[in-house]
Amino acid sequence: MSFRIKDLILSMFLVIFFSLSVYAKEVITITDLEGRRVTIPKRVERVVALSGTLRYIVYLKAFDKVVGIEEVEKRDYMKGNLASGKTYWLAIRDKVMGLPSVGEGGPGKFPDFEKLLMVKPDVVILFDADLAELIQRKTGIPTIVIKPTTTENFNLKEIQNNLFFLGKILNREKEARELNDYLSKLIKDLINRKDSSRSPTLYIGAISLRGAHGITSTVAHYPPLEFLSVRNVADEAGKRGHIFIDKERLLHWNPEYIFIDTGGIFLVKEDYLKNKDFYRRLKAVREGRVYTLFPINFYRTNLENLFANLYFIGKVTHPERFKDIDPERKTREIFRKFLGVDVYDEISKAYRGHRRVDFKDSGLFIP
Protein backbone atom coordinates (compact mmCIF):
# COMPACT_ATOMS: atom_id res chain seq x y z
CA MET A 1 0.00 0.00 0.00
CA SER A 2 1.49 3.37 -1.00
CA PHE A 3 2.21 6.07 1.56
CA ARG A 4 -0.32 8.31 -0.20
CA ILE A 5 -3.13 5.78 0.30
CA LYS A 6 -2.05 5.17 3.89
CA ASP A 7 -2.12 8.92 4.55
CA LEU A 8 -5.59 9.18 3.01
CA ILE A 9 -6.90 6.32 5.15
CA LEU A 10 -5.35 7.90 8.26
CA SER A 11 -6.94 11.25 7.47
CA MET A 12 -10.35 9.66 6.93
CA PHE A 13 -10.02 7.77 10.21
CA LEU A 14 -9.11 10.93 12.09
CA VAL A 15 -12.06 12.84 10.60
CA ILE A 16 -14.48 10.08 11.59
CA PHE A 17 -12.93 9.82 15.06
CA PHE A 18 -13.16 13.57 15.57
CA SER A 19 -16.73 13.75 14.34
CA LEU A 20 -17.82 11.01 16.73
CA SER A 21 -16.03 12.69 19.64
CA VAL A 22 -17.78 16.01 18.89
CA TYR A 23 -21.25 14.55 18.68
CA ALA A 24 -20.69 12.62 21.90
CA LYS A 25 -20.82 16.03 23.56
CA GLU A 26 -23.87 18.20 24.01
CA VAL A 27 -24.03 20.46 20.97
CA ILE A 28 -25.73 23.63 19.79
CA THR A 29 -26.09 25.17 16.34
CA ILE A 30 -24.96 28.77 15.95
CA THR A 31 -24.78 31.27 13.11
CA ASP A 32 -21.29 32.72 12.73
CA LEU A 33 -20.56 36.27 11.61
CA GLU A 34 -20.55 35.28 7.94
CA GLY A 35 -24.06 33.82 8.29
CA ARG A 36 -22.86 30.19 8.27
CA ARG A 37 -24.75 27.64 10.39
CA VAL A 38 -22.25 25.63 12.42
CA THR A 39 -22.84 22.93 15.04
CA ILE A 40 -20.41 23.23 17.95
CA PRO A 41 -20.10 21.78 21.47
CA LYS A 42 -22.22 23.65 23.98
CA ARG A 43 -19.11 24.04 26.15
CA VAL A 44 -16.11 25.02 24.08
CA GLU A 45 -12.92 24.18 25.96
CA ARG A 46 -10.42 23.50 23.16
CA VAL A 47 -9.69 26.17 20.56
CA VAL A 48 -7.40 26.79 17.61
CA ALA A 49 -7.35 30.38 16.33
CA LEU A 50 -5.86 30.92 12.86
CA SER A 51 -4.84 33.82 10.62
CA GLY A 52 -4.45 36.45 13.32
CA THR A 53 -7.67 35.71 15.20
CA LEU A 54 -5.54 34.68 18.17
CA ARG A 55 -5.47 38.35 19.22
CA TYR A 56 -9.21 38.16 19.98
CA ILE A 57 -8.62 35.12 22.18
CA VAL A 58 -6.00 37.10 24.09
CA TYR A 59 -8.29 40.14 24.35
CA LEU A 60 -10.97 37.91 25.93
CA LYS A 61 -8.49 36.35 28.41
CA ALA A 62 -9.26 32.91 26.91
CA PHE A 63 -5.79 31.77 25.92
CA ASP A 64 -6.06 28.89 28.41
CA LYS A 65 -8.43 27.25 25.90
CA VAL A 66 -5.89 27.26 23.04
CA VAL A 67 -4.61 23.73 22.24
CA GLY A 68 -2.68 24.33 19.02
CA ILE A 69 -0.96 27.29 17.44
CA GLU A 70 0.58 28.43 14.17
CA GLU A 71 4.36 28.56 13.93
CA VAL A 72 4.27 32.30 13.23
CA GLU A 73 2.74 32.76 16.67
CA LYS A 74 5.56 30.85 18.37
CA ARG A 75 8.55 32.83 17.17
CA ASP A 76 10.41 34.86 19.76
CA TYR A 77 10.14 38.59 19.14
CA MET A 78 13.44 39.14 20.94
CA LYS A 79 15.07 37.56 17.91
CA GLY A 80 13.46 40.19 15.70
CA ASN A 81 11.20 37.99 13.60
CA LEU A 82 7.50 37.69 12.84
CA ALA A 83 6.08 37.85 16.34
CA SER A 84 7.75 41.18 17.05
CA GLY A 85 5.07 43.47 15.65
CA LYS A 86 2.14 41.71 17.32
CA THR A 87 1.66 43.43 20.64
CA TYR A 88 -0.82 40.80 21.85
CA TRP A 89 1.92 38.18 21.49
CA LEU A 90 3.85 39.77 24.35
CA ALA A 91 1.02 38.81 26.71
CA ILE A 92 1.34 35.09 25.84
CA ARG A 93 5.02 34.69 24.93
CA ASP A 94 5.73 32.47 27.94
CA LYS A 95 2.90 30.10 27.00
CA VAL A 96 3.13 29.65 23.24
CA MET A 97 6.27 27.51 23.00
CA GLY A 98 4.73 24.53 24.75
CA LEU A 99 1.77 24.29 22.40
CA PRO A 100 1.79 21.93 19.40
CA SER A 101 2.01 23.42 15.92
CA VAL A 102 -0.92 23.24 13.51
CA GLY A 103 1.01 24.57 10.52
CA GLU A 104 3.24 27.43 9.46
CA GLY A 105 0.58 30.13 9.39
CA GLY A 106 0.85 33.50 7.73
CA PRO A 107 -1.02 35.21 4.89
CA GLY A 108 -2.48 32.74 2.40
CA LYS A 109 -1.23 29.64 4.23
CA PHE A 110 -3.42 26.61 4.97
CA PRO A 111 -3.12 24.80 8.30
CA ASP A 112 -1.73 21.28 8.43
CA PHE A 113 -5.00 19.31 8.51
CA GLU A 114 -3.56 16.21 10.20
CA LYS A 115 -1.88 18.29 12.91
CA LEU A 116 -5.12 20.16 13.38
CA LEU A 117 -6.99 16.89 13.91
CA MET A 118 -4.37 15.63 16.36
CA VAL A 119 -4.90 18.51 18.81
CA LYS A 120 -8.68 17.83 18.85
CA PRO A 121 -10.07 21.37 19.04
CA ASP A 122 -13.75 21.89 19.75
CA VAL A 123 -13.71 24.75 17.26
CA VAL A 124 -11.38 26.51 14.84
CA ILE A 125 -11.70 30.28 14.53
CA LEU A 126 -10.62 32.38 11.54
CA PHE A 127 -11.56 35.32 9.32
CA ASP A 128 -12.03 33.60 5.94
CA ALA A 129 -15.31 31.81 5.07
CA ASP A 130 -13.82 29.89 2.12
CA LEU A 131 -10.98 28.56 4.24
CA ALA A 132 -13.46 27.70 7.00
CA GLU A 133 -15.46 25.58 4.56
CA LEU A 134 -12.29 23.83 3.40
CA ILE A 135 -11.19 23.04 6.96
CA GLN A 136 -14.60 21.67 7.88
CA ARG A 137 -14.72 19.56 4.75
CA LYS A 138 -11.22 18.16 5.26
CA THR A 139 -11.37 17.59 9.02
CA GLY A 140 -14.97 17.68 10.22
CA ILE A 141 -13.93 20.21 12.88
CA PRO A 142 -16.52 22.97 13.49
CA THR A 143 -15.00 26.14 12.04
CA ILE A 144 -16.43 29.56 12.74
CA VAL A 145 -15.76 32.87 11.05
CA ILE A 146 -15.55 36.35 12.55
CA LYS A 147 -15.22 39.64 10.72
CA PRO A 148 -11.72 40.70 9.64
CA THR A 149 -10.41 43.98 10.96
CA THR A 150 -7.86 45.85 8.89
CA THR A 151 -6.93 49.46 8.27
CA GLU A 152 -8.93 49.18 5.06
CA ASN A 153 -12.24 48.16 6.65
CA PHE A 154 -12.01 49.29 10.26
CA ASN A 155 -15.49 49.04 11.72
CA LEU A 156 -16.03 49.51 15.44
CA LYS A 157 -19.40 47.76 15.40
CA GLU A 158 -17.88 44.68 13.77
CA ILE A 159 -15.03 44.65 16.30
CA GLN A 160 -17.52 44.76 19.15
CA ASN A 161 -19.66 42.08 17.48
CA ASN A 162 -16.57 39.85 17.21
CA LEU A 163 -15.93 40.25 20.91
CA PHE A 164 -19.57 39.69 21.88
CA PHE A 165 -19.89 36.62 19.60
CA LEU A 166 -16.66 34.98 20.79
CA GLY A 167 -17.41 35.91 24.38
CA LYS A 168 -20.61 33.84 24.25
CA ILE A 169 -18.91 30.87 22.59
CA LEU A 170 -15.88 30.86 24.91
CA ASN A 171 -17.76 31.63 28.12
CA ARG A 172 -16.06 35.02 28.33
CA GLU A 173 -19.16 37.21 28.17
CA LYS A 174 -18.05 39.33 31.12
CA GLU A 175 -14.68 40.03 29.50
CA ALA A 176 -16.33 40.84 26.17
CA ARG A 177 -18.80 43.22 27.80
CA GLU A 178 -16.07 45.02 29.74
CA LEU A 179 -13.82 45.46 26.70
CA ASN A 180 -16.72 46.61 24.53
CA ASP A 181 -17.71 49.16 27.16
CA TYR A 182 -14.11 50.37 27.27
CA LEU A 183 -13.98 50.69 23.47
CA SER A 184 -17.17 52.74 23.46
CA LYS A 185 -15.72 54.94 26.20
CA LEU A 186 -12.54 55.53 24.17
CA ILE A 187 -14.47 56.51 21.06
CA LYS A 188 -16.77 58.84 22.99
CA ASP A 189 -13.77 60.47 24.65
CA LEU A 190 -11.94 60.97 21.34
CA ILE A 191 -15.01 62.45 19.66
CA ASN A 192 -15.56 64.83 22.59
CA ARG A 193 -12.03 66.15 22.04
CA LYS A 194 -12.60 67.06 18.38
CA ASP A 195 -11.97 70.68 17.43
CA SER A 196 -14.18 71.93 14.60
CA SER A 197 -12.12 75.10 14.26
CA ARG A 198 -8.87 73.41 13.25
CA SER A 199 -8.14 70.35 11.12
CA PRO A 200 -4.43 70.14 10.28
CA THR A 201 -3.21 67.92 7.45
CA LEU A 202 -1.30 64.72 8.12
CA TYR A 203 0.12 61.72 6.34
CA ILE A 204 0.78 58.25 7.78
CA GLY A 205 3.56 56.42 5.95
CA ALA A 206 5.37 53.07 6.08
CA ILE A 207 2.16 51.17 6.88
CA SER A 208 2.69 47.42 6.61
CA LEU A 209 0.49 45.15 4.50
CA ARG A 210 1.64 41.58 3.91
CA GLY A 211 5.12 42.79 4.76
CA ALA A 212 6.95 45.99 5.62
CA HIS A 213 6.90 49.01 3.29
CA GLY A 214 8.51 52.44 3.17
CA ILE A 215 7.29 56.02 3.25
CA THR A 216 5.09 55.68 0.15
CA SER A 217 2.84 53.03 1.77
CA THR A 218 -0.26 54.57 3.30
CA VAL A 219 -4.03 54.26 3.77
CA ALA A 220 -6.57 56.56 2.18
CA HIS A 221 -9.84 57.27 4.01
CA TYR A 222 -8.38 55.62 7.10
CA PRO A 223 -11.56 55.23 9.20
CA PRO A 224 -10.15 55.66 12.73
CA LEU A 225 -8.98 59.17 11.83
CA GLU A 226 -12.64 60.21 11.73
CA PHE A 227 -12.48 60.34 15.52
CA LEU A 228 -9.89 63.15 15.34
CA SER A 229 -9.93 66.68 13.92
CA VAL A 230 -7.38 66.03 11.16
CA ARG A 231 -7.33 65.76 7.37
CA ASN A 232 -5.57 62.79 5.82
CA VAL A 233 -3.93 64.06 2.62
CA ALA A 234 -3.99 60.52 1.19
CA ASP A 235 -7.76 60.88 0.84
CA GLU A 236 -7.04 63.03 -2.21
CA ALA A 237 -5.62 60.03 -4.07
CA GLY A 238 -9.07 59.07 -5.32
CA LYS A 239 -8.90 55.56 -3.85
CA ARG A 240 -9.80 53.89 -0.58
CA GLY A 241 -7.79 51.59 1.64
CA HIS A 242 -4.12 50.73 1.37
CA ILE A 243 -2.29 52.47 -1.48
CA PHE A 244 1.20 53.22 -2.69
CA ILE A 245 1.87 56.78 -3.78
CA ASP A 246 4.81 58.33 -5.61
CA LYS A 247 7.05 60.72 -3.73
CA GLU A 248 6.17 63.67 -5.90
CA ARG A 249 2.57 63.39 -4.75
CA LEU A 250 3.67 63.53 -1.12
CA LEU A 251 5.70 66.65 -1.93
CA HIS A 252 2.64 68.15 -3.60
CA TRP A 253 0.47 67.43 -0.56
CA ASN A 254 3.20 68.65 1.81
CA PRO A 255 1.25 67.85 5.01
CA GLU A 256 1.73 69.70 8.26
CA TYR A 257 2.43 66.45 10.13
CA ILE A 258 3.92 63.13 9.07
CA PHE A 259 3.59 59.97 11.15
CA ILE A 260 5.75 56.95 10.39
CA ASP A 261 4.60 53.43 11.29
CA THR A 262 7.53 51.77 13.00
CA GLY A 263 6.73 48.50 11.25
CA GLY A 264 8.49 50.03 8.24
CA ILE A 265 10.74 52.59 9.91
CA PHE A 266 13.90 50.70 8.93
CA LEU A 267 12.99 51.14 5.27
CA VAL A 268 12.45 54.87 5.80
CA LYS A 269 15.87 55.08 7.45
CA GLU A 270 17.48 53.39 4.46
CA ASP A 271 15.62 55.58 2.00
CA TYR A 272 16.52 58.78 3.83
CA LEU A 273 20.24 58.06 3.53
CA LYS A 274 19.79 57.72 -0.25
CA ASN A 275 17.29 60.55 -0.78
CA LYS A 276 17.95 63.27 1.79
CA ASP A 277 16.96 66.05 -0.60
CA PHE A 278 13.47 64.62 -0.98
CA TYR A 279 12.84 64.46 2.75
CA ARG A 280 14.28 67.92 3.37
CA ARG A 281 11.80 69.40 0.91
CA LEU A 282 8.91 68.24 3.12
CA LYS A 283 7.59 70.94 5.41
CA ALA A 284 6.96 68.48 8.26
CA VAL A 285 10.61 67.40 8.14
CA ARG A 286 11.97 70.95 8.02
CA GLU A 287 9.75 72.10 10.88
CA GLY A 288 10.30 69.06 13.12
CA ARG A 289 6.80 67.61 12.90
CA VAL A 290 7.53 63.98 12.04
CA TYR A 291 6.60 61.33 14.62
CA THR A 292 6.51 57.56 15.02
CA LEU A 293 3.56 55.26 15.67
CA PHE A 294 3.46 51.73 17.01
CA PRO A 295 2.86 49.13 14.26
CA ILE A 296 -0.74 49.25 13.09
CA ASN A 297 -0.71 46.08 10.97
CA PHE A 298 1.11 42.88 11.79
CA TYR A 299 -0.76 39.70 10.90
CA ARG A 300 -3.90 41.84 10.71
CA THR A 301 -4.57 44.98 12.73
CA ASN A 302 -3.23 45.56 16.23
CA LEU A 303 -6.31 47.12 17.82
CA GLU A 304 -4.49 48.03 21.02
CA ASN A 305 -1.82 49.90 19.04
CA LEU A 306 -4.39 51.58 16.83
CA PHE A 307 -6.22 53.19 19.75
CA ALA A 308 -2.99 54.14 21.51
CA ASN A 309 -1.82 55.77 18.26
CA LEU A 310 -5.03 57.78 17.97
CA TYR A 311 -4.42 59.37 21.36
CA PHE A 312 -0.83 60.11 20.43
CA ILE A 313 -1.84 61.72 17.12
CA GLY A 314 -4.43 63.79 18.96
CA LYS A 315 -1.87 64.90 21.52
CA VAL A 316 0.55 65.99 18.78
CA THR A 317 -1.94 67.75 16.50
CA HIS A 318 -4.22 69.24 19.20
CA PRO A 319 -2.21 69.51 22.42
CA GLU A 320 -4.75 71.89 23.97
CA ARG A 321 -7.57 69.35 23.50
CA PHE A 322 -5.44 66.50 24.87
CA LYS A 323 -3.64 68.45 27.59
CA ASP A 324 -4.70 65.96 30.27
CA ILE A 325 -3.37 63.00 28.27
CA ASP A 326 0.08 61.55 28.86
CA PRO A 327 0.59 59.29 25.81
CA GLU A 328 2.73 56.74 27.64
CA ARG A 329 0.31 56.45 30.55
CA LYS A 330 -2.64 56.18 28.16
CA THR A 331 -0.89 53.52 26.09
CA ARG A 332 -0.14 51.49 29.21
CA GLU A 333 -3.80 51.74 30.21
CA ILE A 334 -4.96 50.57 26.77
CA PHE A 335 -2.54 47.63 26.81
CA ARG A 336 -3.78 46.53 30.24
CA LYS A 337 -7.43 46.72 29.15
CA PHE A 338 -6.84 44.75 25.94
CA LEU A 339 -4.17 42.31 27.07
CA GLY A 340 -4.51 42.04 30.83
CA VAL A 341 -0.86 43.09 31.24
CA ASP A 342 1.22 46.18 30.54
CA VAL A 343 3.69 45.37 27.74
CA TYR A 344 4.65 48.97 26.97
CA ASP A 345 8.30 48.62 27.96
CA GLU A 346 8.85 45.55 25.75
CA ILE A 347 7.11 46.90 22.64
CA SER A 348 8.77 50.26 23.09
CA LYS A 349 12.22 48.66 23.01
CA ALA A 350 11.49 46.90 19.74
CA TYR A 351 9.48 49.72 18.14
CA ARG A 352 10.17 53.25 19.30
CA GLY A 353 6.67 54.53 18.80
CA HIS A 354 5.24 57.86 19.96
CA ARG A 355 8.46 59.79 19.52
CA ARG A 356 9.62 62.69 17.38
CA VAL A 357 11.97 61.86 14.51
CA ASP A 358 15.09 63.96 13.94
CA PHE A 359 16.48 64.00 10.41
CA LYS A 360 20.21 64.44 10.85
CA ASP A 361 23.04 64.31 8.30
CA SER A 362 24.10 60.92 9.67
CA GLY A 363 20.57 59.46 9.45
CA LEU A 364 17.28 59.32 11.32
CA PHE A 365 17.45 59.74 15.07
CA ILE A 366 14.61 58.59 17.32
CA PRO A 367 15.23 59.39 21.01
Side-chain angles (χ1 to χ4, degrees), residues 212-236:
H213 302 293
I215 193 70
T216 60
S217 174
T218 190
V219 172
H221 297 281
Y222 182 30
L225 291 179
E226 71 188 32
F227 305 127
L228 301 174
S229 299
V230 295
R231 288 186 292 128
N232 181 6
V233 294
D235 294 352
E236 298 178 19

Side-chain angles (χ1 to χ4, degrees), residues 290-334:
V290 180
Y291 300 86
T292 59
L293 301 175
F294 287 115
I296 299 169
N297 292 333
F298 213 113
Y299 210 19
R300 305 282 182 169
T301 297
N302 291 312
L303 296 176
E304 61 276 46
N305 289 5
L306 185 150
F307 281 98
N309 287 343
L310 287 177
Y311 273 91
F312 179 71
I313 293 171
K315 180 74 174 184
V316 168
T317 59
H318 291 81
E320 71 287 352
R321 304 289 290 183
F322 287 77
K323 60 184 178 182
D324 61 319
I325 296 295
D326 178 294
E328 178 181 329
R329 186 177 299 117
K330 191 65 179 180
T331 300
R332 290 181 185 277
E333 172 197 298
I334 290 170

Side-chain angles (χ1 to χ4, degrees), residues 62-118:
F63 188 76
D64 58 305
K65 295 179 182 286
V66 175
V67 294
I69 200 166
E70 294 168 313
E71 283 295 324
V72 297
E73 303 283 19
K74 297 177 72 170
R75 297 175 183 169
D76 191 342
Y77 98 105
M78 295 300 291
K79 297 176 182 177
N81 54 35
L82 280 178
S84 56
K86 297 179 294 188
T87 309
Y88 68 88
W89 181 87
L90 293 168
I92 56 173
R93 58 183 172 175
D94 296 331
K95 304 172 184 176
V96 295
M97 296 306 175
L99 288 171
S101 169
V102 294
E104 175 60 25
K109 299 287 183 66
F110 290 172
D112 184 311
F113 298 123
E114 288 190 13
K115 289 181 178 179
L116 199 55
L117 283 160
M118 294 300 289

